[in-house]
C-alpha cells in the first residue's frame, strides 16, 4: 500500500510516495518554477535521483511531469499500488476540523476559503483538481493545516475587535502547522509511553515558519499563529507579533500601500528583516563571528520564544513536556538551550550533554531532575498526511 502526498504551492509542487505504516518513502520529488521560462523537476526513487530543466507551463504540466518521472526512472506510478492521495490544504476555515474526503462540494468550500488564504488555497486546489484528473480511481483526501486548532477555546481564538465586523469577515484565530503539532503531540505520548490524554505539552515548531502550541491531553488549547501564519513567533522572513498600530503608522507616515505592507511583513521581516539572512545556519555563523545585527536578531527570536513558553505554561496550568521540532528545533541545540535557560525555578532543566547529542529519532534532552521533560521530536508532515489519507481510504 502506498499513499501519494501532494503539497501544491503557488509555483512549486512537492510530492512523496509513502508507505503509511512503516513510514518508508518510496519516492519523492519537487517541481519548481512552474510558469517561469525555465522550470525544474528533481525526483528520486529506488532507481536513483534525476533532475531535468524544462519550461513547465502550469500545475497540470508539472504534476504530469512528476507522474511521468515514475515511469521514466522505474516502475510506473500505477505499479506502486497507490491506494489514496493526500493533499495538504492550508486553510480549512471554520468548516474543516479533520481530514476530509475530497468531493465536488469540498472543492467548492475550499475555494470559498481562498479569501482567507489567497496565496495558498488556490494552488492547493489546483493540485487537487489536476491529481484527481490524473488518478480518478483512488480516494483523494484533503488534510488541513488549521484543523488541529479547531478545538481552541473561544477565549483563545477571538480577537478583541468589533465582533460584528470580525464575524462578517471571518476574522478569528485559526492557527497553522496543525498537521505537524498534531503528529508531534501524538509522537510525544507514544515515545514517553503515556496516554495522550494524560500529557500537557508545549510544542515549538521552529522551521522557516515557526509556531508554538499548548496541547492539553491531546486537545489544542492555544497556538501562536492566528488569522494568517504571520502572528506569533519571529520567523525566517515573517514578523510574528507586532503592534498593529505599526501598520497604521507606516501607512500614514511612509505612504506604504497594502501590497507594500504585505511584502514587508511576509518577506522583509523576521530574521531577514533584522539582519539580512533568514536561514538559521547562516544566522548562527554570523552570530559566532560577532555580527551585531545578527546577534540582536537572535536575541529577539529567543526572547519571543521564551515569552510563549511562559504564556503557555500558565495557560496549561500543569506542564509535563516541552518539545522542539522542525529544522531549527531539531538541529540547533543553542536555540533549545537559550530558549529554556535559567528556568530551574519553573522545573525546567535542559541537560547540556543530551542537548548536544545528534540523533535522528525522538530524544530526551532534559536533566533527570527536571520536573518538565524536554524533548526533540522530528516532525513528519508528509507521513501524517499519508496516514490520515490511508485511514480515510480504509474506512470507505
Ligand atoms: P520549512 O518551514 O520550510 O519546512 P524546515 O523545518 O525545513 O523549514 O526548517 C528550515 C530551517 O531550519 C532553516 O532556517 C534552516 O537553516 C534550519 N536548519 C536546518 N538544519 C539546521 C542546522 N543543522 N542547524 C541550524 N539550523 C538548521
Amino acid at each position: 500500500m502506498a499513499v501519494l502526498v501532494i503539497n501544491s504551492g503557488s509555483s512549486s509542487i512537492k510530492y512523496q510516495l509513502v508507505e503509511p505504516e512503516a513510514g518508508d518513502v518510496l519516492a519523492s520529488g519537487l517541481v519548481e518554477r512552474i510558469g517561469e521560462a525555465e522550470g525544474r523537476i528533481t525526483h528520486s526513487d529506488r532507481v536513483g535521483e534525476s533532475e531535468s530543466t524544462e519550461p513547465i507551463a502550469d500545475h497540470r504540466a508539472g504534476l504530469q511531469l512528476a507522474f511521468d518521472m515514475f515511469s521514466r526512472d522505474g516502475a510506473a506510478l500505477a505499479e506502486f499500488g497507490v491506494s489514496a492521495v493526500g493533499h495538504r490544504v492550508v486553510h480549512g476555515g471554520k468548516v474543516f476540523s479533520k481530514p476530509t474526503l475530497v468531493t465536488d462540494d469540498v472543492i467548492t468550500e475550499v475555494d470559498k476559503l481562498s479569501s482567507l488564504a489567497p496565496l495558498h488555497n488556490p494552488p492547493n486546489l489546483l493540485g487537487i483538481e489536476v491529481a484527481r484528473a490524473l488518478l480518478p480511481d483512488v480516494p483523494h483526501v484533503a488534510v488541513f493545516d488549521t484543523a488541529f486548532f479547531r478545538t481552541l477555546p473561544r477565549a483563545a481564538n477571538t480577537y478583541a475587535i468589533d465582533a460584528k465586523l470580525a464575524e462578517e469577515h471571518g476574522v478569528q484565530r485559526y492557527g497553522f502547522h496543525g498537521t505537524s503539532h498534531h503528529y508531534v503531540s501524538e509522537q510525544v505520548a507514544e515515545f514517553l509511553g503515556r496516554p495522550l490524554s494524560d500529557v500537557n505539552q508545549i510544542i515549538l515548531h521552529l522551521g522557516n515558519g515557526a509556531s508554538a502550541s499548548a496541547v492539553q491531553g491531546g486537545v489544542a488549547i492555544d497556538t501562536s499563529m492566528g488569522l494568517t501564519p504571520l502572528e506569533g513567533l519571529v520567523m525566517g522572513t515573517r514578523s510574528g507579533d507586532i503592534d498593529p498600530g505599526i501598520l497604521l503608522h507606516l501607512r500614514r507616515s511612509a505612504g506604504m500601500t497594502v501590497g507594500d505592507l504585505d511584502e514587508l511583513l511576509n518577506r522583509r521581516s523576521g530574521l531577514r528583516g533584522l539582519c539580512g539572512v533568514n536561514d538559521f545556519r547562516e544566522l548562527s555563523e554570523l552570530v559566532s563571528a560577532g555580527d551585531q545585527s545578527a546577534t540582536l536578531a537572535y536575541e529577539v527570536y529567543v526572547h519571543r520564544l521564551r515569552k510563549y513558553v511562559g504564556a503557555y505554561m500558565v495557560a496549561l496550568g500543569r506542564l509535563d513536556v516541552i518539545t522542539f521540532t522542525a529544522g531549527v528545533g531539531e538541529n540547533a541545540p543553542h536555540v533549545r538551550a537559550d530558549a529554556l535557560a535559567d528556568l530551574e525555578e519553573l522545573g525546567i532543566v535542559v541537560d547540556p550533554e543530551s542537548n548536544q547529542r545528534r540523533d535522528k529519532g525522538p530524544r530526551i534532552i532534559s536533566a533527570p531532575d527536571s520536573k518538565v521533560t524536554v524533548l526533540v521530536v522530528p516532525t513528519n508532515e508528509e507521513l501524517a498526511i499519508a496516514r490520515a489519507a490511508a485511514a480515510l481510504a480504509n474506512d470507505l
Side-chain angles (χ1 to χ4, degrees), residues 291-318:
D291 183 284
Q292 283 188 4
S293 56
T295 304
L296 176 62
Y298 181 74
E299 286 169 0
V300 174
Y301 183 97
V302 170
H303 176 74
R304 185 82 49 84
L305 205 48
R306 289 172 67 89
K307 281 212 312 202
Y308 271 92
V309 170
Y312 289 174
M313 274 187 94
V314 173
L316 288 165
R318 187 201 83 225

Side-chain angles (χ1 to χ4, degrees), residues 205-209 278-281 284 326-328 331-332 358 381:
H205 175 115
L206 311 177
N208 278 316
N278 60 287
D279 188 286
F280 221 90
R281 278 164 291 203
S284 304
V328 177
N331 296 300
R358 293 204 169 269
E381 285 165 281

Side-chain angles (χ1 to χ4, degrees), residues 8-10 59 89-91 110-129:
S8 172
S10 58
H59 283 68
V89 179
V90 167
H91 219 302
V110 173
D111 193 27
K112 279 193 209 157
L113 293 166
S114 289
S115 65
L116 289 171
L119 298 180
H120 295 106
N121 274 28
N124 296 163
L125 264 184
L126 264 178
I128 292 178
E129 282 169 343

Side-chain angles (χ1 to χ4, degrees), residues 108-287:
T108 307
E109 284 299 331
V110 173
D111 193 27
K112 279 193 209 157
L113 293 166
S114 289
S115 65
L116 289 171
L119 298 180
H120 295 106
N121 274 28
N124 296 163
L125 264 184
L126 264 178
I128 292 178
E129 282 169 343
V130 174
R132 271 181 114 200
L134 291 172
L135 286 171
D137 300 325
V138 300
H140 289 249
V141 174
V143 180
F144 299 91
D145 244 28
T146 49
F148 183 56
F149 298 118
R150 287 301 299 137
T151 55
L152 295 196
R154 294 198 63 199
N157 76 6
T158 303
Y159 289 109
I161 62 166
D162 182 307
K164 196 159 162 285
L165 186 74
E167 178 63 31
E168 272 168 22
H169 294 275
V171 176
Q172 63 160 71
R173 311 188 63 253
Y174 294 97
F176 297 87
H177 287 156
T179 307
S180 173
H181 286 273
H182 187 190
Y183 173 82
V184 170
S185 65
E186 291 184 341
Q187 291 289 111
V188 165
E190 199 180 309
F191 175 68
L192 295 175
R194 293 174 63 175
L196 183 60
S197 56
D198 283 358
V199 184
N200 283 359
Q201 41 181 328
I202 293 175
I203 295 165
L204 303 169
H205 175 115
L206 311 177
N208 278 316
S211 60
S213 69
V215 182
Q216 193 164 49
V219 178
I221 61 157
D222 210 348
T223 191
S224 59
M225 286 176 166
L227 172 76
T228 73
L230 266 177
E231 193 178 341
L233 302 176
V234 176
M235 312 184 207
T237 64
R238 285 176 247 160
S239 62
D241 297 335
I242 58 166
D243 176 352
I246 293 173
L247 304 181
L248 308 179
H249 176 70
L250 290 175
R251 176 80 191 87
R252 291 189 189 114
S253 68
M256 292 176 78
T257 63
V258 170
D260 294 338
L261 293 170
D262 191 328
E263 212 246 342
L264 171 74
L265 297 178
N266 279 297
R267 304 201 183 284
R268 284 200 288 136
S269 296
L271 300 174
R272 185 192 282 166
L274 288 171
C275 71
V277 302
N278 60 287
D279 188 286
F280 221 90
R281 278 164 291 203
E282 285 178 53
L283 177 84
S284 304
E285 279 165 24
L286 288 174
V287 171

